Amino acid sequence: MDLNRRQLFKAGLGLSAILAIAACGDGSSSDGSGGSPQRGGTLRIGAIGKSSKTERDPHATMSNESDFLIMSLIYDPLTVPGTDPNVAPRLASKWESDAEQRNWTFTIAEGATFHDGRPVTADDVVWSLRRLREVAGETKVPVSSVDDIKPVGANAVVLTCAGPNSQLPLLLRLMTFAAPKGTTDFTKGIGSGPFRLESYNNGNARLVRNDNWHGGAPLLDAVEVTLFESPESMANAIMAGQIDVASSVGAVAGRTAEARSDLQVIRRPNDVAIVIAMRTSDGPFADPRVREALRLAVDRPAMVAQVLSGYGSVANDILGTADPTFDSSIAQRKRNVDRAKQLLADAKFDTGRTYPLVTKQEAAGEVESAKVFASQAKDIGLNIEVVVQEANAFYDDTWLKAPFYTVNWGTNDSVMFFASKVMSSRTKWNETGFKDAEFDKAYADALAAPAGAKFTEASKAIQQIQYDRGGYIVWGMADGIDVASRSVQGLPKLGGYGRVQLERVWLSS
Amino acid sequence: MTTSTTSRRLWPTVLPAAAVVTVAIVGPALAPHAVDHAVGITFEKPNSAAWLGGDRLGQDVTSQLLRGGWGLLLLGAIIALLVTAFAAILGSIAALHPRTGAWIERTADLGMLLPPVLAILLFMLSWPESGAVGLVVVSVIAGTPYSARVFAAAATGVAASGFIEAAQARGERLSYLIFRELLPNLRETLLTQLGLRFVEAMYLVSTAAFLQLPTTLGDANWAVMVRENASGILLNPAAVLAPSVAIGLLAVSVNSAVAAFGRGRSSV
């Protein structure tokens, strides 16, 4: 942008805000544009949820974004998402492992206290982690049993994994909320986070600043979280000025807000992956040539335009696009109808049949992605019927079982996260029935390697296998779209669950 | 009244209906693209390549509009014809046989209390396989009672006239009485009812499609377009307004055309 001084003076705040958004290159939150950070004010933020599904227990599975937002502000997890590295300290100020990457020691941050004034001790953290392990299982705390979580002295805990696991700090991000040992009544919301719970009403909450927070007191006086049942109602609220921030409000609202000078649109890249899963172990897509053909059938830029309103980026069939070790040297797959037809013919694929692609209304654009893909696949002679299932029925009957369905994931800054959750042959959530000896070896190598060249090499091997013969069509990544009033500064910019980090937000008058 | 003035009065009311119906019927042949033809991003603004812009999947609204009318029109017409036919017969029976008529009218009064949209919801959600046939059946059941009352009221006057009594005395069958004696004298009522029933049927079919009840109308029909594209009304108003206007035009113009035929000749 070529500007002289006078233009800059004339443009004033509106332009500086645009510049600030344009300048958002890295760091986890946008640079303030309204001058130096100010203290005070109440932030009214809207988040999606269903009042019938509200959850007060920080260790239970949360289906509401609004609940997750409230929990993340009143409780501290051990670690949180970062940009690079993608794990940042929170309640744990530092962590280290033995050479084998099996025993991990987390040191509790200096000065961490609960909202009732008691210091956070190793016993509290061990109790919380054990409770989480019992309630949520190994997916949240990847250790074999609760006995593998032990205190070390007054301010450290040690976790012992079943095997080498270089990814433990990453896997403990955000969900590992610490509560005082022996808590039975979670409605008081006694945590050690940057805000304390003042009132709670049916999914809506008012939180006030915790002046004693070990990370340094936030600037906001209070945060009011309002639950919205639908993105449309939240969009209406932000347009009418009833809230200051609409979190994950979607592309249509974002585009509508672009035309308004009093609103800013924050795009958080690599927020949600909406991907198509093809079963690799059996069924019509077991032949890697068929999967390759389907990947070549996708017109990725058109998908991003039609499904995501252009608020997203083209992806390359590899999950974990925001990983610091993401291999951008692998050539971008592009649409090639002739080659795809040839591959289907080589594989003797039956194009006379109609293949059901099962989807559900979960992530924004999920059903749409299935429909657009189905119309694109006609060009290679593949007939797809899009079947929209009710979400519960989908998880009971289709997920992990059907040969062809859509899934969405909201954490895209780690290749290893996906490798461990959905692709290693031993995982419970193997969505594509993927069992690949070479992949498992690369995965084991990555688990045993500390961060560095060896780990990067193993991570790239994992990505190459996914690209060549994995079960996913990763056509693009949706940006997370928040709409906020111009006065809100320092909003989170990370994709996925990084959106809940509001402790550094401030309001310019 | 001469035929020339009649036809001159008929044309302005019939022409819009003829135009809309023609577009709905031959639209699929006129459509520039398939319904899933991509024109750009979600809710693409109207431009020279896509006159009405894009829908929520960035697909051509013009093509969908041209392809999305005949289903509604066909279902609406079938329902209107069936309701009018049943109601005319029931109403005539009620007028000719006062004792049976009392029962018919009581039953009709009861039937009128049932809200048709509720009936459709109940029926279609508990038996989704029924599809369009189910929608027609429920709409006919829900629409007939009221219409039958109207016919009964209109037919009572005619039934009391001398030529009906003469025919009854001749020992003519009931069907002869209804179709040869009564209904030809209720032309205006018949046509007015047909028009009204068509509007009502359009409303029911649109509601069912709008509520995404399982009908076999396909993906692109006007009612579904209104529903699906409502979220982008600020980005591309055409995606919502065009199908809404089309539904309104179809219902109103067909109704006024049919009514005009009914008024065309003062017969009675």
Side-chain angles (χ1 to χ4, degrees):
Chain A
M1 222 186 277
D2 201 353
L3 290 164
N4 63 30
R5 278 175 54 109
R6 194 182 315 159
Q7 280 170 310
L8 259 178
F9 277 120
K10 255 202 300 212
L13 187 74
L15 179 74
S16 50
I18 295 168
L19 285 175
I21 292 172
C24 291
D26 45 22
S28 63
S29 63
S30 53
D31 329 0
S33 59
S36 59
Q38 294 174 17
R39 199 177 145 104
T42 298
L43 181 78
R44 299 165 303 166
I45 182 165
I48 302 285
K50 288 199 161 45
S51 48
S52 58
K53 293 197 169 170
T54 50
E55 182 56 66
R56 306 298 306 273
D57 182 341
H59 298 144
T61 303
M62 276 168 259
S63 58
N64 283 353
E65 287 193 28
S66 52
D67 289 333
F68 184 62
L69 178 65
I70 295 167
M71 300 283 185
S72 321
L73 294 172
I74 56 181
Y75 295 100
D76 273 332
L78 284 179
T79 55
V80 289
T83 312
D84 186 10
N86 51 7
V87 186
R90 185 67 171 269
L91 185 59
S93 54
K94 61 178 198 289
W95 48 89
E96 55 208 349
S97 77
D98 54 1
E100 208 195 346
Q101 311 280 321
R102 259 196 74 192
N103 291 290
W104 285 87
T105 310
F106 292 82
T107 308
I108 298 166
E110 192 88 18
T113 54
F114 288 115
H115 298 157
D116 55 7
R118 286 182 289 172
V120 182
T121 65
D123 282 345
D124 296 316
V125 176
V126 167
W127 179 84
S128 302
L129 287 174
R130 285 182 174 178
R131 187 167 182 275
L132 180 65
R133 173 68 183 79
E134 278 170 355
V135 173
E138 210 170 343
T139 50
K140 294 272 172 71
V141 188
V143 295
S144 314
S145 82
V146 292
D147 301 331
D148 295 326
I149 307 165
K150 296 191 193 72
V152 187
N155 70 338
V157 294
V158 68
L159 279 77
T160 306
C161 304
N165 192 345
S166 60
Q167 299 305 299
L168 187 73
L170 177 124
L171 296 171
L172 295 178
R173 291 185 315 185
L174 279 176
M175 298 295 174
T176 48
F177 297 124
K181 183 177 178 177
T183 306
T184 49
D185 175 16
F186 287 101
T187 56
K188 292 195 187 72
I190 301 292
S192 59
F195 291 89
R196 45 177 99 218
L197 185 66
E198 185 181 87
S199 64
Y200 181 95
N201 177 6
N202 197 17
N204 307 301
R206 181 177 159 87
L207 317 170
V208 292
R209 176 176 48 226
N210 174 9
D211 282 312
N212 306 324
W213 191 48
H214 62 85
L219 292 160
L220 292 168
D221 290 339
V223 176
E224 286 174 1
V225 181
T226 307
L227 175 147
F228 285 92
E229 299 260 347
S230 74
E232 289 78 22
S233 55
M234 186 156 71
N236 293 337
I238 185 82
M239 301 289 166
Q242 291 160 339
I243 50 175
D244 303 315
V245 182
S247 176
S248 292
V249 68
V252 170
R255 279 175 56 199
T256 313
E258 296 275 14
R260 292 265 302 260
S261 59
D262 58 336
L263 295 175
Q264 52 176 325
V265 180
I266 291 114
R267 290 174 57 170
R268 294 176 285 102
N270 303 305
D271 183 58
V272 178
I274 302 166
V275 296
I276 297 169
M278 304 175 283
R279 196 159 183 78
T280 60
S281 52
D282 48 72
F285 308 104
D287 189 328
R289 287 173 299 185
V290 174
R291 301 201 295 272
E292 170 85 1
L294 264 66
R295 291 194 185 109
L296 290 170
V298 192
D299 183 344
R300 293 160 204 258
M303 286 284 267
V304 171
Q306 289 177 249
V307 176
L308 307 174
S309 269
Y311 284 63
S313 46
V314 165
N316 205 15
D317 302 319
I318 300 165
L319 284 162
T321 45
D323 193 306
T325 65
F326 186 79
D327 191 350
S328 48
S329 66
I330 298 178
Q332 173 63 52
R333 208 175 244 128
K334 290 195 172 68
R335 185 166 217 220
N336 188 335
V337 173
D338 298 339
R339 172 108 183 89
K341 281 181 174 163
Q342 184 60 50
L343 282 165
L344 287 185
D346 293 348
K348 301 201 170 41
F349 183 79
D350 180 6
T351 50
R353 279 183 48 204
T354 299
Y355 297 88
L357 171 58
V358 187
T359 183
K360 72 278 186 197
Q361 288 192 320
E362 192 170 66
E366 191 162 352
V367 173
E368 289 80 358
S369 73
K371 284 182 176 163
V372 175
F373 176 69
S375 75
Q376 290 180 356
K378 275 188 220 156
D379 297 345
I380 65 163
L382 176 68
N383 295 313
I384 294 174
E385 184 199 3
V386 176
V387 179
V388 184
Q389 265 187 334
E390 194 272 321
N392 291 330
F394 176 90
Y395 284 108
D396 289 344
D397 311 334
T398 302
W399 192 54
L400 309 181
K401 301 187 186 93
F404 203 33
Y405 55 93
T406 64
V407 284
N408 66 79
W409 284 93
T411 305
N412 293 299
D413 59 353
S414 166
V415 167
M416 287 297 289
F417 170 85
F418 287 108
S420 71
K421 289 275 186 285
V422 297
M423 278 178 277
S424 84
S425 60
R426 287 211 310 277
T427 172
K428 287 200 303 252
W429 294 350
N430 201 321
E431 294 172 333
T432 56
F434 194 64
K435 289 190 174 40
D436 189 297
E438 216 180 313
F439 184 92
D440 285 348
K441 187 186 169 305
Y443 172 62
D445 290 351
L447 285 184
K454 254 182 96 171
F455 172 77
T456 306
E457 192 187 329
S459 168
K460 288 194 171 167
I462 287 173
Q463 296 172 52
Q464 188 66 49
I465 294 168
Q466 267 191 71
Y467 176 85
D468 290 338
R469 54 179 186 270
Y472 290 104
I473 301 173
V474 188
W475 49 267
M477 283 287 161
D479 291 349
I481 295 152
D482 303 337
V483 174
S485 85
R486 283 258 175 243
S487 60
V488 185
Q489 315 293 344
L491 280 165
K493 291 197 356 258
L494 284 178
Y497 289 134
R499 67 173 173 270
V500 297
Q501 297 172 301
L502 300 178
E503 60 277 3
R504 292 287 161 247
V505 173
W506 56 281
L507 298 169
S508 61
S509 39
Chain B
M1 187 186 292
T2 63
T3 43
S4 66
T5 53
T6 308
S7 55
R8 212 177 307 148
R9 183 146 357 127
L10 269 179
W11 272 119
T13 43
V14 176
L15 207 60
V20 178
V21 170
T22 309
V23 167
I25 291 170
V26 302
L30 298 175
H33 307 291
V35 286
D36 58 4
H37 173 80
V39 294
I41 63 170
T42 319
F43 296 122
E44 182 76 65
K45 292 248 183 298
N47 54 47
S48 58
W51 292 351
L52 295 172
D55 72 345
R56 58 189 260 282
L57 292 177
Q59 293 167 346
D60 189 14
V61 173
T62 317
S63 301
Q64 290 177 18
L65 189 74
L66 287 168
R67 288 167 191 273
W70 66 269
L72 290 175
L73 177 71
L74 186 68
L75 277 187
I78 291 173
I79 293 169
L81 282 169
L82 287 174
V83 169
T84 312
F86 285 136
I89 293 167
L90 283 171
S92 306
I93 294 173
L96 292 169
H97 292 278
R99 208 175 297 165
T100 322
W103 281 104
I104 290 177
E105 293 187 10
R106 298 290 161 277
T107 320
D109 290 349
L110 261 180
M112 266 187 267
L113 294 173
L114 177 74
V117 175
L118 202 64
I120 288 175
L121 271 173
L122 270 173
F123 187 85
M124 309 280 307
L125 290 176
S126 47
W127 193 34
E129 305 79 62
S130 58
V133 177
L135 180 62
V136 170
V137 170
V138 181
S139 304
V140 169
I141 292 171
T144 303
Y146 181 82
S147 194
R149 288 285 269 155
V150 174
F151 274 108
T156 308
V158 184
S161 59
F163 61 90
I164 299 277
E165 283 179 13
Q168 279 177 314
R170 282 206 307 273
E172 296 289 3
R173 287 196 320 275
L174 183 65
S175 58
Y176 177 90
L177 288 174
I178 294 174
F179 292 108
R180 305 296 300 275
E181 302 281 0
L182 248 184
L183 290 181
N185 289 300
L186 291 175
R187 230 179 72 109
E188 189 162 350
T189 312
L190 260 174
L191 286 166
T192 311
Q193 276 297 306
L194 192 63
L196 277 174
R197 290 297 116 200
F198 181 78
V199 175
E200 171 75 2
M202 283 288 298
Y203 154 76
L204 287 178
V205 175
S206 302
T207 305
F210 187 86
L211 294 172
Q212 285 184 326
L213 292 170
T215 57
T216 44
L217 282 177
D219 270 351
N221 71 68
W222 293 344
V224 168
M225 284 170 73
V226 173
R227 175 204 167 102
E228 302 260 289
N229 298 328
S231 60
I233 192 160
L234 292 170
L235 296 172
N236 180 17
V240 184
L241 293 181
S244 317
V245 169
I247 291 175
L249 265 181
L250 183 63
V252 172
S253 65
V254 169
N255 181 31
S256 50
V258 173
F261 274 112
R263 283 193 308 272
R265 292 172 220 157
S266 41
S267 45
V268 187

